[in-house]
Amino acid sequence: MTSIGGAASSGMVDWNLAVATATRLMRPGPDVSRDEARAVVAELRRHAKASEEHVRGFTRLGTEETHDTPVLVVDRPGWVRANVAGFRELLKPLLDKMQERRGTSPGNAVLGAVGGKVTGVELGMLLSFLASRVLGQYETFAPATRDLPAGANGAGRLLLVAPNIVHVERELDVEPHDFRLWVTLHEETHRTQFTAVPWLRDHLEGEIQSFLGETDVDPMTVLERVREAAQSLAGGRPEGEEGDEGRSLVELVQTPAQREILGRLTAVMSLLEGHADFVMDGVGPEVVPSVAEIREKFQQRRAKGASRLDMALRKLLGLDAKLRQYRDGERFVRAVVEEVGMDGFNRVWTSPNTLPTKAEIAKPADWITRVHRKPEA
């Protein structure tokens, strides 16, 4: 197994153990022959290439030269390795800060017993849960590793998780070739957003690092949240908490500054996810014959979740908020495009100042007034 960084086993989290644990615990993928698997991988790569032109034409964003990030068709372990590498890079400032506090924290003795290995196991349990659910992902903060290339200058990479796509297309009983193209259209939109808008990645990273820099959380509190998620995954919550759906990791937010940053991040993520859904539906009728059936079945699946356990984990990990982002963001994009057209909507990508606020996501007319207002005579 490829090591995740040179010092992966030190500090607050044993990252290599997280990968090993997730790989050991994750569900097996759908039953496909080797020839079928090769065919799926080849088709997804073809669809990813075709999606570039479809998305560029519809959104009027980017050029062929802007798409310099790799497209990787991966299995579930590959998705885990890629995300652990990204998490490790993004969370390093916070984990370094927690490590510094470890020596003076009242919970130092307990932390010494728990250690990075136990934390790695618990993180691995969560990743094993998520690894069977993600269909695709534009990995914005993606350091290159030996087996996982990334774009130049930290430009990211597009991941398509082949076994999960096959699993869902079978579960929904939809036309496989249409579903695979439909998924790649969504993910290619994210790739286009970040490659066509050069400042977007740095802006997001700056917001996230500002948020983490404001964090003054006792390490034991973070570990407690991870442990709650792991206990849910292992078979239920502790006795006496049966009616509790779980506390979100986002509830670690403490300061007014953090709440402001989180509001801005929520607005941006709603925009990005809603834009991808809007593009997927806009392009779909032209190139995906069964798009209406796919959309209806996928929305039903997205809304209901798989089980009570799934719902509890979605809340704990903040995934219920992500579902709202798809819905609210898509409504924002649709309303703006209907009012000012696609070119008018694309003014959203001009600078951080033209991004919608959280309030404007809910009231698109306010964004239109602010960004498109005519200068007074």
Side-chain angles (χ1 to χ4, degrees), residues 198-240:
W199 56 264
L200 185 57
R201 179 192 181 278
D202 289 342
H203 172 71
L204 268 182
E205 184 175 22
E207 292 279 54
I208 292 169
Q209 293 304 335
S210 295
F211 179 88
L212 296 177
E214 288 282 333
T215 300
D216 189 25
V217 177
D218 181 82
M220 285 303 297
T221 306
V222 177
L223 296 182
E224 178 187 350
R225 293 295 193 275
V226 175
R227 193 162 299 110
E228 286 178 0
Q231 286 168 342
S232 292
L233 192 57
R237 306 201 51 73
E239 189 174 355

Side-chain angles (χ1 to χ4, degrees), residues 110-266:
V110 179
L111 274 173
V114 174
K117 291 190 177 300
V118 173
T119 311
V121 168
E122 292 171 336
L123 178 60
M125 293 175 70
L126 295 181
L127 288 169
S128 73
F129 171 81
L130 294 172
S132 63
R133 285 159 171 75
V134 177
L135 301 182
Q137 171 186 2
Y138 184 76
E139 206 186 1
T140 315
F141 309 104
T145 65
R146 188 174 64 190
D147 57 344
L148 290 165
N153 302 315
R157 56 187 166 228
L158 178 61
L159 306 177
L160 297 170
V161 191
N164 295 351
I165 293 172
V166 172
H167 171 78
V168 174
E169 71 191 27
R170 291 179 178 178
E171 178 186 301
L172 298 181
D173 190 25
V174 292
E175 210 290 317
H177 306 294
D178 285 2
F179 184 74
R180 294 166 196 174
L181 178 55
W182 188 72
V183 170
T184 59
L185 286 169
H186 182 101
E187 303 308 332
E188 176 58 37
T189 302
H190 287 316
R191 183 169 174 242
T192 296
Q193 290 163 346
F194 283 94
T195 54
V197 186
W199 56 264
L200 185 57
R201 179 192 181 278
D202 289 342
H203 172 71
L204 268 182
E205 184 175 22
E207 292 279 54
I208 292 169
Q209 293 304 335
S210 295
F211 179 88
L212 296 177
E214 288 282 333
T215 300
D216 189 25
V217 177
D218 181 82
M220 285 303 297
T221 306
V222 177
L223 296 182
E224 178 187 350
R225 293 295 193 275
V226 175
R227 193 162 299 110
E228 286 178 0
Q231 286 168 342
S232 292
L233 192 57
R237 306 201 51 73
E239 189 174 355
E241 298 185 21
E242 302 302 327
D244 185 3
E245 290 185 344
R247 293 173 290 178
S248 171
L249 292 168
V250 175
E251 289 178 23
L252 293 173
V253 174
Q254 292 182 319
T255 68
Q258 280 185 311
R259 284 191 287 275
E260 287 184 15
I261 296 168
L262 186 61
R264 293 196 297 268
L265 282 171
T266 299

